[in-house]
């Protein structure tokens, strides 16, 4: 959600900010804005627009600055408080203060009332403008003092970039529960929601510590705690190539990221395979974490939650420890039964999803052990959990998650095997075989990536459908859930996933002539059961796409398309079925001429409840 970039240095700030906002587009937004010091003086120019960053760039061209502005802030807004309008777009100004904000000021009503008693009224419906008003109210020339006073009164989450009209060339920044990174190089100082916005200038960055004030000038980046003591942050280095954040010849980021999956899995699992066995010692995750566990709760949202469903089956299968999967937004308000013997595993690509973060905090407050599986290094969820296992998918730009999902699956395998080994449920020999199985599966996944033409042809029918159903049992049910989500996200076609046996308890009434049903039947012990369910929908006229492993003799009258996976151990089919569901969603959206990488209303990282 909301993208933030601030820059002060020796280059044209407008250009840097627009480029930065374009790289942050993936976060999801519906309007954009920029503010800059027009010519090194106190003249702050603010330009905002609804719609795309390109609209903002066009509008910006019409602004004739006297000289090149070298300091400014830019924002992409995903509307929460107040509809999508130019007035509600950021930056917001009040008196000397102009700011951009990501997060939610929960007590903004209360603060607005307090300010109105002093004759100060907002022009927008946003919570963010109230913060600008509050900081300006306290501002008497000392920016840090005003920010501290205002912050003291704010409840909720925030990442702010603030400029003061009487302090040209200086940007102030502060954050709580919303991400902000900082960077400094020869070209100047940067602050941004994500390192992808600054990667063209530097690979070194740092995470802004929470509730510390950062002061950026053209040649310095200082950070102070709330008592005014300077703090030196740990510098991190981006460990992926800059090309990873560019389209690299693919039509869409999503397609590129689908193709990056085998490599992402290999990068994720390789450092965790020691002597052929799953091992998390390089991650400083001690075996004790997995000993004496009474139950495991996996909590996450969206795609990550589907990876969690897969994880449940795998962990229970091998360690026989009860696992539940909880939607983070439900879990946080469910008064869960947790103890120090509960292991809570939080899965999140971004590491900043508000509900998943709240779930981790709740788990910790109840004394449970917490382990997160996160893709973004140094993110809030990673920092706050007791232990973290990073997935190494690199930056995922397409809103619809693909490679981040399969690397989560790959870690679920390793976690399941490791827990089972530690609890004497899996011998070293067995674990080694399993690890080899993952490696072979990655090769099979490469074969399925070559099935793009076959899958493209199938989507001719899907693209015209109004409803599509996904069926599966066991591991295939978890895959079916992800298949339906992927399709909905980017093609806007109504889709539902059903545990195949459940369909007849109501939903089969929706199956009529030509309604597409995509059935996954890759698990031997329940193969016949899924086939029976396929027969049920087929006899009601469904248009059936059936996915099975190689070597299955399938009655051709049962389906319109039979997709055959390479011959493989059924435990590892999810890597392959994931590619199939991703291609089906992708090509369906492409055929419908939709914005695949930035679907309507969606945000890549959801930092609000
Ligand atoms: C958003 C995204 C989904 C994602 C979910 C969880 O809804 O659009 O693609 O699965 O958040 O995100 P996380 O970063 O926690 O994995």
């Amino acid at each position: 959600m909301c993208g933030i970039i601030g820059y002060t240095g020796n280059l044209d700030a407008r250009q840097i900010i627009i480029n930065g906002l374009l790289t942050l587009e993936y976060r999801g937004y519906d309007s954009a804005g920029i503010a800059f010091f027009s010519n090194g003086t106190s003249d702050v120019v603010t330009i905002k627009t609804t719609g795309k960053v390109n609209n903002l760039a066009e509008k910006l061209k019409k602004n004739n600055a006297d000289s090149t502005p070298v300091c400014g802030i830019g924002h992409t807004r995903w509307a929460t408080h107040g509809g999508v309008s130019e007035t509600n777009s950021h930056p917001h100004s009040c008196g000397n203060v102009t700011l951009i904000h990501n997060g939610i000021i929960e007590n903004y009503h209360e603060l607005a009332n307090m300010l109105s008693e002093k004759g100060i009224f907002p022009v927008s419906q946003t919570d963010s403008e109230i913060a600008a008003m509050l900081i300006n109210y306290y501002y008497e020339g000392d920016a840090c003092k005003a920010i501290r006073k205002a912050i003291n009164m704010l409840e909720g989450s925030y990442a702010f970039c603030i400029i003061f009209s009487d302090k040209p060339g200086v940007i102030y920044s502060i954050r709580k529960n919303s991400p902000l990174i900082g960077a400094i190089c020869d070209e100047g100082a940067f602050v941004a929601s994500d390192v992808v916005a600054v990667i063209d200038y530097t690979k070194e960055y740092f995470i802004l510590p929470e509730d510390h004030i950062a002061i950026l000038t053209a040649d310095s980046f200082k950070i102070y705690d709330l008592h005014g003591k300077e703090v030196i942050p740990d510098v991190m280095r981006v460990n992926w190539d800059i090309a990873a954040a560019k389209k690299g010849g693919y039509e869409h980021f999503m397609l590129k990221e689908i193709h990056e999956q085998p490599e992402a899995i290999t990068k994720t699992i390789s450092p965790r395979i020691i002597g052929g066995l799953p091992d998390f010692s390089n991650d400083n995750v001690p075996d004790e974490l997995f000993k004496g566990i009474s139950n495991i709760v996996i909590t996450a949202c969206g795609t990550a939650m589907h990876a969690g469903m897969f994880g449940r089956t795998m962990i229970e299968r091998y360690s026989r420890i009860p696992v539940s999967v909880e939607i983070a937004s439900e879990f946080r308000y469910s008064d869960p039964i947790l103890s120090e013997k509960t292991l809570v595993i939080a899965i999140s690509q971004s590491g900043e999803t508000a509900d998943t973060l709240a779930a981790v905090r709740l788990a910790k407050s109840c004394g449970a052990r917490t382990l997160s599986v996160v893709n973004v290094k140094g993110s809030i969820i990673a920092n706050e959990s007791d232990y973290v296992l990073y997935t190494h998918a690199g930056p995922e730009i397409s809103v619809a998650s693909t490679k981040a999902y399969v690397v989560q699956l790959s870690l679920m395998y390793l976690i399941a095997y490791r827990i089972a080994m530690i609890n004497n449920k899996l011998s070293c020999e067995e674990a080694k075989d399993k690890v080899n199985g993952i490696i072979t599966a990655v090769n099979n996944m490469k074969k399925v990536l070559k099935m793009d033409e076959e899958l493209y042809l199938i989507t001719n029918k899907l693209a015209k459908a109004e409803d599509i159903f996904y069926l599966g049992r066991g591991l295939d049910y978890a895959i079916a859930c992800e298949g339906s989500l992927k399709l909905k996200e980017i093609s806007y076609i109504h889709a539902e996933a059903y545990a195949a046996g459940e369909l007849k308890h109501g939903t089969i009434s929706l199956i009529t002539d030509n309604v597409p049903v995509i059935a996954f039947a890759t698990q031997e012990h329940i193969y016949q059961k899924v086939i029976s369910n396929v027969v049920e929908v087929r006899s009601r006229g469904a248009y059936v796409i059936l996915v099975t492993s190689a070597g299955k003799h399938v009655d051709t009258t049962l389906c319109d398309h039979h997709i055959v996976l390479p011959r493989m151990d059924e435990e590892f089919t999810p890597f392959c079925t994931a590619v199939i569901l991703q291609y089906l969603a992708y090509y369906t959206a492409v055929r419908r001429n939709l914005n695949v990488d930035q679907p309507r209303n969606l945000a890549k990282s959801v930092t609000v409840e």
Side-chain angles (χ1 to χ4, degrees):
M1 285 182 164
C2 301
I4 282 184
I5 176 153
Y7 167 74
T8 177
N10 49 36
L11 300 177
D12 186 339
R14 293 165 302 187
Q15 202 53 50
I16 290 189
I17 290 168
I18 291 293
N19 287 345
L21 291 181
L22 286 170
T23 65
L24 294 172
E25 278 193 305
Y26 77 93
R27 295 175 68 85
Y29 72 104
D30 37 49
S31 50
I34 183 170
F36 52 87
F37 290 97
S38 70
N39 48 14
T41 70
S42 57
D43 195 3
V44 172
V45 178
T46 299
I47 299 171
K48 321 198 239 190
T49 175
T50 55
K52 293 290 170 194
V53 173
N54 284 336
N55 300 352
L56 181 68
E58 283 306 311
K59 209 166 169 183
L60 195 53
K61 276 190 202 149
K62 294 184 191 131
N63 174 268
N64 297 315
D66 306 341
S67 59
T68 306
V70 288
C71 174
I73 55 180
H75 188 264
T76 46
R77 171 176 188 252
W78 192 86
T80 54
H81 295 62
V84 180
S85 71
E86 218 167 280
T87 313
N88 287 338
S89 310
H90 300 214
H92 291 288
S93 296
C94 181
N96 276 301
V97 174
T98 298
L99 63 70
I100 52 180
H101 168 226
N102 176 17
I104 288 190
I105 313 295
E106 285 165 1
N107 59 336
Y108 81 109
H109 261 307
E110 216 176 296
L111 295 171
N113 287 341
M114 180 207 106
L115 289 162
S116 70
E117 280 166 19
K118 302 180 191 314
I120 309 167
F121 300 96
V123 291
S124 75
Q125 289 106 47
T126 65
D127 52 333
S128 311
E129 189 188 358
I130 306 297
M133 290 156 55
L134 197 64
I135 297 172
N136 187 61
Y137 173 72
Y138 287 123
Y139 186 56
E140 290 169 335
D142 184 336
C144 290
K145 200 167 161 191
I147 294 170
R148 271 187 217 118
K149 279 190 177 172
I151 290 301
N152 248 332
M153 302 187 66
L154 301 184
E155 286 168 18
S157 58
Y158 46 79
F160 287 118
C161 270
I162 312 156
I163 53 178
F164 291 81
S165 52
D166 56 348
K167 300 200 182 326
V170 188
I171 298 173
Y172 296 81
S173 222
I174 188 161
R175 76 171 188 101
K176 183 180 169 193
N177 289 344
S178 284
L180 273 184
I181 62 99
I184 179 142
C185 57
D186 291 347
E187 288 82 6
F190 298 79
V191 61
S193 308
D194 187 325
V195 69
V196 293
V198 306
I199 192 80
D200 280 336
Y201 308 95
T202 176
K203 282 187 127 187
E204 290 189 343
Y205 68 103
F206 39 86
I207 312 259
L208 249 58
E210 291 212 333
D211 276 339
H212 284 54
I213 298 180
I215 307 177
L216 290 72
T217 62
D219 54 11
S220 75
F221 198 124
K222 303 268 186 201
I223 300 174
Y224 300 94
D225 69 14
L226 288 178
H227 306 292
K229 189 169 170 270
E230 190 174 348
V231 170
I232 309 292
D234 292 338
V235 174
M236 300 165 82
R237 208 179 151 74
V238 170
N239 62 358
W240 35 265
D241 203 276
I242 296 175
K246 316 261 177 204
K247 266 192 212 157
Y250 284 90
E251 203 179 333
H252 296 102
F253 277 109
M254 183 173 173
L255 188 60
K256 173 172 173 265
E257 289 162 2
I258 288 173
H259 282 273
E260 285 170 348
Q261 296 184 111
E263 192 192 338
I265 296 173
T266 306
K267 276 192 180 155
T268 299
I269 61 172
S270 302
R272 280 96 184 208
I273 300 174
I274 301 175
L277 292 170
D279 191 322
F280 301 130
S281 45
N282 288 334
D283 301 281
N284 297 320
V285 174
D287 286 349
E288 281 60 42
L289 183 68
F290 302 127
K291 285 184 186 158
I293 305 172
S294 60
N295 66 317
I296 296 175
V297 177
I298 303 181
T299 186
C301 304
T303 290
M305 206 260 299
H306 295 148
M309 288 169 65
F310 165 82
R312 170 180 52 200
T313 306
M314 291 306 300
I315 296 171
E316 287 189 338
R317 178 178 291 179
Y318 288 102
S319 64
R320 309 305 298 154
I321 296 171
V323 184
S324 62
V325 180
E326 309 284 349
I327 298 169
S329 54
E330 288 292 307
F331 177 74
R332 64 184 292 189
Y333 296 115
S334 65
D335 194 10
I337 304 163
L338 304 173
S339 75
E340 69 286 355
K341 288 187 170 177
T342 311
L343 172 64
V344 174
I345 303 178
I347 310 177
S348 174
Q349 185 284 129
S350 62
E352 57 180 86
T353 301
D355 287 318
T356 312
L357 174 63
V360 169
R361 288 182 174 162
L362 174 67
K364 284 181 80 173
S365 72
C366 295
R369 316 166 188 190
T370 53
L371 169 69
S372 61
V373 172
V374 170
N375 195 46
V376 177
K377 227 170 142 187
S379 53
I380 305 174
I381 293 173
N383 284 346
E384 292 210 10
S385 4
D386 298 326
Y387 298 98
V388 58
L389 289 172
Y390 283 113
T391 50
H392 299 307
E396 189 177 64
I397 308 293
S398 173
V399 167
S401 186
T402 53
K403 60 177 178 170
Y405 170 63
V406 296
V407 292
Q408 288 162 354
L409 298 185
S410 72
L411 274 189
M412 289 297 118
Y413 281 117
L414 293 187
I415 290 172
Y417 301 145
R418 186 73 199 165
I419 296 179
M421 272 175 66
I422 291 170
N423 289 284
N424 300 320
K425 298 276 171 47
L426 198 67
S427 70
C428 287
E429 281 319 301
E430 287 166 327
K432 270 188 188 166
D433 275 357
K434 294 290 167 196
V435 167
N436 282 333
I438 305 179
I439 296 166
T440 313
V442 176
N443 289 328
N444 285 322
M445 186 183 211
K446 289 180 188 161
K447 292 183 194 157
V448 178
L449 281 168
K450 292 188 182 139
M451 291 164 62
D452 48 349
E453 272 185 35
E454 177 186 349
L455 292 157
Y456 173 74
L457 291 175
I458 295 177
T459 55
N460 182 30
K461 182 85 176 176
L462 299 186
K464 294 174 200 142
E466 285 181 6
D467 309 285
I468 298 180
F469 291 86
Y470 286 76
L471 300 185
R473 288 176 184 244
L475 284 184
D476 283 336
Y477 173 53
I479 288 293
C481 290
E482 176 59 6
S484 114
L485 176 66
K486 212 80 316 176
L487 189 91
K488 278 182 279 207
E489 279 181 307
I490 60 170
S491 76
Y492 313 152
I493 297 173
H494 167 245
E496 284 188 56
Y498 269 85
E502 183 62 14
L503 192 77
K504 57 182 161 302
H505 299 292
T507 313
I508 200 160
S509 61
L510 300 176
I511 306 290
T512 53
D513 269 354
N514 279 319
V515 171
V517 172
I518 301 167
F520 295 96
T522 72
Q523 305 296 299
E524 187 55 39
H525 68 293
I526 40 180
Y527 175 77
Q528 276 310 335
K529 303 288 169 198
V530 181
I531 294 298
S532 304
N533 303 130
V534 168
V535 173
E536 287 159 14
V537 295
R538 186 69 172 166
S539 54
R540 277 142 188 99
Y543 178 87
V544 174
I545 298 165
L546 177 63
V547 184
T548 72
S549 301
K552 285 282 164 210
H553 174 75
V554 170
D555 174 357
T556 48
T557 63
L558 262 190
C559 58
D560 296 275
H561 291 281
H562 181 200
I563 300 172
V564 184
L565 301 181
R567 193 172 294 279
M568 62 194 298
D569 180 338
E570 65 177 43
E571 186 152 308
F572 303 104
T573 55
F575 284 153
C576 295
T577 42
V579 173
I580 289 169
L581 69 87
Q582 293 162 355
Y583 269 150
L584 290 179
Y586 173 76
Y587 286 122
T588 302
V590 167
R591 282 183 188 271
R592 288 163 70 96
N593 281 325
L594 295 170
N595 186 344
V596 174
D597 287 333
Q598 291 160 32
R600 72 178 175 218
N601 300 343
L602 298 188
K604 181 76 184 157
S605 65
V606 179
T607 50
V608 298
E609 276 197 51

